[in-house]
Amino acid sequence: MGAVSGALESVAPIDALAAGLNAIAEMLAGQRDFVRTRQAVIMSNPELQERDLIKLAATCAGTASPGSRRTRNASRRC
């Protein structure tokens, strides 16, 4: 989220989003086995599934916020 919110205002929102996705990809590089094991554990436990969905919702909301702020700011400049 920092990559998106920290992007220069002159950067197009789609480019800021791309920067955020690239930052996530770098963070997850080399963790494929861990992620697969983690997902298998979560899928085998309903309580963990619920917790994972809550975390996903919070992540989505947090990711949407910087993009929304950038879009609102860009529309004010027009």
Side-chain angles (χ1 to χ4, degrees):
M1 290 182 276
V4 174
S5 61
L8 297 174
E9 289 293 323
S10 61
V11 174
I14 191 72
D15 293 331
L17 178 60
L21 293 174
N22 286 333
I24 291 169
E26 288 177 19
M27 186 176 70
L28 295 176
Q31 295 188 17
R32 181 173 296 197
D33 291 337
F34 169 76
V35 171
R36 285 185 177 163
T37 301
R38 177 186 177 276
Q39 191 62 31
V41 170
I42 290 171
M43 294 308 293
S44 69
N45 185 309
E47 290 85 10
L48 292 178
Q49 289 176 22
E50 181 178 2
R51 183 176 174 191
D52 196 46
L53 288 173
I54 292 168
K55 286 182 177 183
L56 180 61
T59 300
C60 290
T63 303
S65 295
S68 296
R69 280 193 298 274
R70 287 180 54 84
T71 302
R72 282 193 304 272
N73 290 340
S75 65
R76 288 184 189 136
R77 288 192 303 252
C78 295

